């Protein structure tokens, strides 16, 4: 749609600020339109004193809106705008001013006082500091300034919340000793893996840095035991049976993962321009560790990949006609190439069928890529149909790719590069499951017995 010909009211800006939300100007303008339309609807119903429960009114308004607005995108945009409004206020008073505008006064959800102006509410919110969850806002802002992945942001916040629930909300009680005890409980009582404990440590060190707490010396916690497990690998006949039972996008993604060794999320995040049909290559961007690498595009998949791309083009064109917000772009690229988000080249190769709300940008309804969990059920079902008794997950295809390459005589350094491993020692794990005579090249003495 076109940017509304209106000035974003100051009270809308302050409302978003009070909720700790930052959105682009165009999105803010549209959300202001939806909020003011809702307030006019309330006035027409005689609700300008804010007597009814706000959530009930918003729900009723959205139901009526669904009967008159055909665009799912616009209805979702209105829902998101009212969600922010609901988060920010308890009740309001409305009066019309000269020029047909609205002059609202709110009772804010700040936990202090009764009726406050927005300016007073913002000041009160700041005074709540860290003890009312202020640490969370600071942590989110720091994570986004450093451009951490959304998955990392979610994981770090979950660990921080577990820690706060465990030791209490008072930052004065957050210290190295509390951190050591928390990590020790994870290892002793929770019996978590070493990687999980390390993840928790990284998240909590980030939290401490955000709130200005110093961690001096070593965290002398009981360390979780590092497990040594060999990967589950399918035989080539099992891979063939598995893929033969799959179809559609899940089948194509599974085939591409086995054919290239990509991780699940790397496959989901592919953009149109990342698949080079002419060179028979796929560019994996921002893989694990923030590294890019090039993997092969199997020749047998070229035709079906091109057909899939043509179908995706139709979806992209439909989104452009409907004015859907462009796809998510990394912060630096979105500033450098402001129109790239709506370009064909940057569209997802495996887009989601439905629109979804951007978790980092309130009110932005986008076309995201397919979720990695969308492959789990189809692969599990395919393994059952193919009568494979092993525990098969999407990542099993990557394990099988590496093992089969090594069995075919590929150099381990080449396999390391294709997999994107930082160390060849990580790749060496596949030498333990290669198909060779006996185990690790040795024959059982039982087979040497006479007779």
């Amino acid at each position: 749609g076109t940017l509304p010909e209106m000035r974003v009211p100051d009270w809308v800006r302050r409302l978003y600020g009070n909720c700790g939300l930052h959105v682009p100007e165009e999105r803010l303008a549209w959300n202001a339109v939806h909020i003011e339309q809702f307030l006019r609807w309330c006035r027409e119903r005689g609700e300008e004193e804010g007597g009814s429960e706000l959530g009930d009114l918003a729900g009723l308004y959205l139901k009526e809106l669904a009967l008159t607005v055909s665009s799912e995108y616009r209805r979702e945009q209105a829902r998101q705008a009212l969600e922010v409004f609901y988060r920010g206020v308890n009740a309001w008073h409305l009066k019309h001013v000269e020029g047909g505008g609205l002059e609202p006064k709110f009772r804010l959800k700040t936990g202090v006082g009764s009726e406050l102006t927005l300016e007073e509410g913002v000041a009160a919110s700041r005074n709540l500091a860290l003890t009312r969850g202020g640490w969370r806002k600071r942590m989110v802002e720091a994570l986004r300034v450093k451009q951490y992945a959304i998955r990392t942001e979610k994981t770090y916040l979950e660990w921080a919340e577990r820690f706060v629930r465990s030791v209490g909300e008072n930052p004065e009680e957050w210290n190295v000793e509390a951190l050591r005890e928390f990590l020790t409980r994870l290892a002793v009582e929770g019996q978590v893996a070493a990687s999980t404990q390390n993840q928790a440590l990284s998240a909590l060190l980030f939290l401490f840095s955000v709130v200005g707490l110093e961690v001096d010396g070593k965290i002398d916690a009981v360390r979780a035991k590092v497990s040594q497990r060999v990967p589950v690998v399918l035989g080539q006949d099992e891979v063939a049976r598995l893929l033969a039972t799959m179809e559609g996008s899940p089948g194509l993604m599974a085939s591409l993962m086995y054919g290239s060794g990509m991780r699940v999320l790397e496959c989901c995040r592919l953009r149109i321009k990342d698949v080079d049909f002419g060179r028979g290559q796929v560019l994996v961007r921002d893989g694990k560790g923030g590294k890019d690498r090039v993997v092969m595009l199997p020749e047998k998949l070229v035709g079906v990949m091109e057909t899939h791309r043509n179908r995706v083009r139709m979806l992209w064109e439909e989104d452009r006609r409907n004015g859907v917000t462009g796809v998510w772009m990394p912060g630096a690229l979105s500033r450098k190439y402001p129109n790239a988000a709506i370009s064909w080249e940057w569209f997802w190769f495996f887009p989601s069928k439905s629109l979804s709300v951007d978790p980092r940008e309130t009110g932005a309804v986008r076309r995201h890529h397919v979720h990695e969990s969308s492959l789990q059920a189809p692969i599990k079902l395919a393994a059952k149909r193919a009568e494979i008794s092993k525990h098969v997950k999407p990542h099993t295809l990557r394990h099988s790719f590496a093992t089969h390459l090594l069995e075919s005589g590929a150099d381990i350094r080449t396999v390391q590069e294709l997999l994107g491993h930082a160390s060849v020692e990580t790749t060496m794990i596949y030498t333990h499951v290669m198909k060779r005579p006996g185990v690790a090249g040795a024959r059982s003495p039982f087979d040497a017995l006479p007779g």
Side-chain angles (χ1 to χ4, degrees):
T2 305
L3 182 68
E5 293 294 332
M6 61 165 286
R7 180 182 64 84
V8 178
D10 290 339
W11 65 265
V12 173
R13 294 187 187 280
R14 294 194 295 272
L15 174 65
Y16 273 71
N18 188 60
C19 294
L21 301 170
H22 307 280
V23 299
E25 189 71 11
E26 180 178 352
R27 185 62 51 198
L28 191 64
W30 273 114
N31 284 4
V33 168
H34 288 298
I35 293 174
E36 291 205 314
Q37 286 176 347
F38 168 68
L39 293 177
R40 287 193 175 89
W41 177 86
C42 289
R43 186 174 187 277
E44 292 171 0
R45 288 175 51 90
E47 298 285 355
E48 60 264 37
E49 293 301 315
S52 300
E53 209 285 322
L54 178 56
D56 293 338
L57 283 174
L60 182 60
Y61 171 78
L62 291 173
K63 286 183 180 179
E64 292 189 9
L65 194 69
L67 300 176
T68 57
V69 177
S70 60
S71 171
E72 178 185 355
Y73 174 61
R74 292 297 175 217
R75 295 198 301 269
E76 179 63 19
Q77 197 178 59
R79 189 189 70 78
Q80 287 299 311
L82 294 186
E83 181 181 346
V84 173
F85 189 72
Y86 179 76
R87 286 171 58 185
V89 306
N90 275 324
W92 67 94
H93 298 288
L94 296 177
K95 67 176 181 179
H96 274 249
V97 296
E98 186 177 352
L102 293 165
E103 186 179 291
K105 189 172 185 181
F106 300 102
R107 185 163 65 247
L108 294 170
K109 294 180 178 177
T110 59
V112 294
S114 55
E115 185 170 282
L116 303 173
T117 63
L118 277 167
E119 291 87 345
E120 294 167 336
V122 171
S125 294
R126 289 175 184 150
N127 291 336
L128 293 176
L130 301 176
T131 55
R132 292 286 182 87
W135 62 265
R136 195 179 197 281
K137 179 183 175 182
R138 291 191 189 181
M139 195 169 179
V140 169
E141 289 175 347
L143 287 164
R144 295 185 180 179
V145 166
K146 295 179 180 293
Q147 297 188 8
Y148 277 60
I150 188 66
R151 287 158 53 91
T152 304
E153 177 182 314
K154 181 180 178 182
T155 300
Y156 274 29
L157 288 172
E158 287 174 350
W159 280 118
E161 286 166 354
R162 286 181 62 174
F163 176 76
V164 172
R165 287 197 302 269
S166 175
V167 304
E169 291 191 354
N170 186 357
E172 294 181 0
E173 299 176 359
W174 301 357
N175 50 45
V176 174
E177 180 62 22
L179 179 56
R180 184 192 69 80
E181 291 180 359
F182 179 80
L183 294 172
T184 297
R185 284 198 301 273
L186 287 179
V188 177
E189 299 174 13
Q191 297 184 340
V192 299
S195 59
T196 302
Q197 190 187 42
N198 289 334
Q199 184 186 74
L201 175 59
S202 298
L204 297 181
L205 289 177
F206 192 93
L207 168 65
F208 275 39
S209 69
V210 165
V211 299
L213 297 175
E214 294 185 3
V215 179
D216 296 325
K218 182 180 179 182
I219 307 297
D220 190 22
V222 175
R223 307 303 293 176
K225 183 179 180 180
V226 179
S227 59
Q228 298 287 341
R229 294 190 178 92
V230 295
V232 174
V233 173
L234 302 179
Q236 288 186 303
D237 60 326
E238 291 175 318
V239 173
R241 297 203 319 265
L242 178 82
L243 297 179
T245 65
M246 301 184 70
E247 56 186 18
S249 291
L252 177 56
M253 293 177 70
S255 298
L256 184 59
M257 286 169 55
Y258 171 69
S260 65
M262 282 190 290
R263 298 178 178 90
V264 184
L265 192 57
E266 292 171 345
C267 186
C268 294
R269 286 176 173 172
L270 281 181
R271 311 265 185 169
I272 294 297
K273 66 188 190 64
D274 295 336
V275 182
D276 189 336
F277 290 99
R279 300 177 67 88
Q281 295 177 343
V282 177
L283 175 59
V284 178
R285 296 181 181 275
D286 197 24
K288 193 171 183 179
K291 296 176 294 186
D292 295 351
R293 72 182 191 279
V294 175
V295 298
M296 69 273 283
L297 173 63
E299 294 180 9
K300 290 183 178 180
L301 290 182
V302 170
V304 67
M305 290 277 286
E306 289 179 332
T307 301
H308 173 83
R309 183 184 60 177
N310 294 337
R311 289 197 298 267
V312 171
R313 173 89 187 193
M314 296 172 62
L315 182 61
W316 172 77
E317 291 174 348
E318 179 183 339
D319 282 355
R320 300 284 64 77
R321 288 193 297 270
N322 293 334
V324 175
T325 304
V327 296
W328 176 84
M329 297 282 291
L333 287 174
S334 64
R335 293 187 293 270
K336 186 175 182 180
Y337 307 111
N339 294 323
I342 60 173
S343 69
W344 164 239
E345 292 77 13
W346 281 93
F347 198 62
W348 307 113
F349 203 94
F350 296 106
S352 172
K353 293 181 180 179
S354 58
L355 301 175
S356 58
V357 178
D358 191 324
R360 293 190 170 188
E361 190 179 318
T362 301
V365 181
R366 302 183 186 278
R367 177 82 59 184
H368 205 48
H369 59 66
V370 293
H371 196 274
E372 56 188 305
S373 62
S374 64
L375 267 179
Q376 294 171 353
I379 285 182
K380 183 177 180 180
L381 179 60
K384 183 178 180 180
R385 289 175 174 172
E387 299 181 347
I388 299 173
S389 58
K390 300 172 183 176
H391 182 54
V392 182
K393 302 184 296 183
H395 207 68
T396 305
L397 296 169
R398 176 174 160 89
H399 292 325
S400 302
F401 163 85
T403 306
H404 297 166
L405 266 185
L406 290 171
E407 288 174 350
S408 67
D411 179 78
I412 195 164
R413 292 287 183 180
T414 300
V415 178
Q416 175 195 355
E417 183 177 339
L418 289 170
L419 293 176
H421 287 162
S423 171
V424 73
E425 292 180 1
T426 307
T427 317
M428 288 290 290
I429 189 68
Y430 297 110
T431 63
H432 299 300
V433 289
M434 288 173 57
K435 185 178 181 181
R436 294 174 293 184
V439 178
R443 293 182 70 237
S444 169
F446 184 86
D447 293 329
L449 291 176

